Structure formats: C-alpha cells, structure tokens
Amino acid sequence: MTIEEKMKNLVVDWDEDGLKEFCSSLLKENQTSAEELLKIIGSIMKFIGDQFENEEIFLPDLIGSANVVKAVIDEVLDPAIRAKGGEMKTLGKVVIGTVESDVHSIGKDLVASFLFSNGFEVFNLGVEVTAEDFINKAEEVDADIIGMSSLLTMSMDFQRQVIEELNKRGLREKYKVIVGGAPTSEEWAQEIGADAWADDAIEAVAMIKQIIENKN
Ligand code: B1M
C-alpha cells in the first residue's frame, strides 16, 4: 500500500490518532517531508470532495474527514514545518484568511503552510475574517501581502469588499492582494482589482514570490 492509500484510508475511517501517528512516524524516520504530506492531503480532500459532489458520501462524512485532516495539519504538519523554519530569512509578510461568512479552512491552511515552508512570515487569521480584521492585522504587522480565500460563491464578494475598504482608507497601494479558492478565477481577480490569483498552493507561492520580487 502506498503512503497516499494508507493516509486516504485513515481519513475516510476518521482515524485521527492513526493518521497523526502515521504522519509523525514518516517524518521521524525521514521517509518524506511535511510539504509532501500536505500535497497528499490536498489530493485526498479533492477525492473526498468529488465523492461528496457525486453524492457517494454525505455531509457528516465530509465533516468527519475534514476534521481529521485539520487536526493533522494543525498538530503535526504545520509544527513540523515551523520547527524546520527557525533559521529562515523571511521573504515577506503575508496576512491570510478565509473571508467573512466562509468556514472552509483546509485549502487556505495549505496555502499558509506552503508559504511558511517557502520562507514567508505568515499571519493566518483563520476563517470568517472580516475586512476590518484583514486590514487591521496588515497594518499591525506591516504586511506586504493580503491573501484571501473563498470557497463559496456566496462569500466571494467579501474579497471585493476588502479591496474596496482598502481603497476607502487610502491603503490600496500599500498592500498587494492575492485571492484564491475554488469558485474564484483570474477573471474574478481582475474584476475586483486584486493583484493576483492562484489556482493552488504551489501557484500561490510562485505568484507571491513574483510579486515580492517585482516590488523590491
Ligand atoms: Co463545503 N462546500 N460547505 N464544507 N466543501 C464546498 C466548497 C462545495 C463546492 C461542495 C458542493 O456542494 N459541491 C459547496 C460550495 C458551493 C458554492 O458555493 N460554489 C460547499 C457548501 C455549499 C458548503 C455548506 C454551505 C454546506 C451546508 O452547510 N449545506 C457549508 C458552508 C459553511 C460556511 O462556510 N458558512 C459547508 C461546510 C463544509 C464543511 C465544514 C463540512 C467542510 C469544511 C471544513 C474545513 O475546511 N475545516 C467542507 C468541505 C470540506 C468542502 C469540500 C468538499 C472540500 C473543500 C476542501 O477542503 N478542498 C468542497 C467541495 C470541493 O471543493 N470539491 C466544499 C480541498 C482543498 C485542498 O482545496 O479548498 O479548493 P481548496 O483549496 C485549494 C485551492 O482552491 C487554492 O489552493 C488550495 C490548495 O491547493 N486556494 C487558494 C484556496 N484558497 C486560496 C487562497 C489563495 C490562493 C489559492 O490565495 C490567498
């Protein structure tokens, strides 16, 4: 059985302790990296999402699996990445969150972890983050980038509202804004006046590196 198959079984069985133990032992024995395990988790969640969309599983199954994945990211993978990152020189500061009214955290957390593992200082504000909170945090930490995730068609407009609020406060030029999440697109990013859009966590890192290079 491959690592991915074993992890998928543990997620589907809601075996949180089993998945934590399995990932911890892989890391301890240097069989793989936390970044690789995050990529695998991304593809497992896509598989589970497809099953949900095809009505092969139901909302409680989805919630159970998502909780297992969140616990492993928070308690095993993110700490492993942070433990390695002690000596890294920061490439820039990113304030990131899922927008108001939206509780989807997994994709945003993957982006945050990938950014951290690539040398960015990341301020992850969690979910249901208001425009006020995005902007206050960016001001407080003197961020370079504000990153907003949205998984619901109904919550996308809050990305626009954050940009409008930045404009109102005369702060729009101070920060670069990147948006992402399944219902968003390059065209959406252009429509709301964001600086960049990324399809996945890897692309988000590449886009943000590019933005920072162009800024300096
Ligand atoms: Co919900 N959900 N959900 N959900 N959920 C979706 C998004 C949905 C498409 C499922 C469906 O019906 N087909 C649908 C939205 C439809 C729409 O509006 N277009 C939906 C719905 C309707 C809902 C509820 C309303 C259900 C209900 O209550 N009836 C409810 C909403 C609650 C709320 O937010 N107010 C709800 C709740 C939930 C759970 C709590 C059960 C759970 C979330 C748990 C959690 O995150 N802690 C959940 C889940 C798990 C999903 C699906 C199945 C999977 C999402 C996920 O984690 N994907 C999702 C269906 C799907 O996507 N196939 C669905 C894996 C993750 C790695 O991918 O998040 O896309 P993703 O992130 C990617 C990219 O998008 C990108 O990079 C990431 C990594 O590669 N990306 C960025 C994301 N953010 C980025 C930011 C960036 C750049 C790139 O820059 C800043």
Side-chain angles (χ1 to χ4, degrees):
M1 200 186 289
T2 63
I3 291 178
E4 175 157 355
E5 284 163 349
K6 169 96 178 158
M7 285 172 68
K8 194 191 278 177
N9 288 345
L10 292 167
V11 172
V12 170
D13 291 344
W14 302 356
D15 187 350
E16 184 180 315
D17 290 340
L19 188 63
K20 281 186 199 158
E21 275 165 35
F22 182 58
C23 291
S24 301
S25 72
L26 289 173
L27 295 176
K28 205 168 152 201
E29 292 159 16
N30 284 324
Q31 287 194 45
T32 185
S33 64
E35 288 84 352
E36 280 306 315
L37 295 178
L38 281 172
K39 279 189 212 158
I40 293 175
I41 280 183
S43 84
I44 293 173
M45 283 314 293
K46 287 224 153 51
F47 164 81
I48 289 175
D50 289 346
Q51 281 196 315
F52 180 66
E53 274 165 33
N54 297 333
E55 297 182 3
E56 291 163 31
I57 60 168
F58 300 100
L59 194 60
D61 305 305
L62 185 62
I63 295 173
S65 296
N67 286 344
V68 169
V69 163
K70 178 147 178 47
V72 171
I73 294 178
D74 287 353
E75 294 170 40
V76 179
L77 302 181
D78 214 35
I81 289 174
R82 285 180 187 274
K84 268 195 324 193
E87 294 149 26
M88 264 189 240
K89 181 174 160 284
T90 172
L91 292 180
K93 292 181 189 171
V94 185
V95 165
I96 191 167
T98 302
V99 294
E100 196 170 338
S101 82
D102 194 329
V103 304
H104 294 86
S105 62
I106 295 167
K108 178 263 302 166
D109 286 343
L110 286 186
V111 175
S113 300
F114 270 68
L115 283 169
F116 183 81
S117 69
N118 276 274
F120 289 92
E121 199 172 339
V122 180
F123 299 87
N124 186 344
L125 305 187
V127 297
E128 299 188 280
V129 181
T130 60
E132 182 80 7
D133 288 345
F134 272 115
I135 296 172
N136 286 351
K137 192 67 186 180
E139 285 287 279
E140 179 196 324
V141 302
D142 193 21
D144 300 288
I145 310 266
I146 296 176
M148 292 182 269
S149 179
S150 168
L151 264 284
L152 297 173
T153 314
M154 296 282 282
S155 72
M156 283 165 68
D157 205 58
F158 286 108
Q159 297 185 336
R160 185 203 305 272
Q161 288 185 25
V162 174
I163 294 176
E164 282 174 357
E165 191 58 32
L166 282 169
N167 277 323
K168 264 194 223 152
R169 297 191 194 185
L171 294 172
R172 180 64 189 92
E173 297 310 314
K174 197 170 166 190
Y175 303 107
K176 296 291 179 189
V177 175
I178 179 167
V179 294
T184 66
S185 62
E186 182 98 57
E187 293 70 38
W188 169 252
Q190 277 172 12
E191 184 188 321
I192 62 174
D195 298 292
W197 172 79
D199 192 28
D200 60 27
I202 314 255
E203 201 180 305
V205 172
M207 293 301 296
I208 290 179
K209 277 189 173 161
Q210 205 182 338
I211 290 174
I212 297 271
E213 269 164 31
N214 292 344
K215 208 177 160 205
N216 294 333

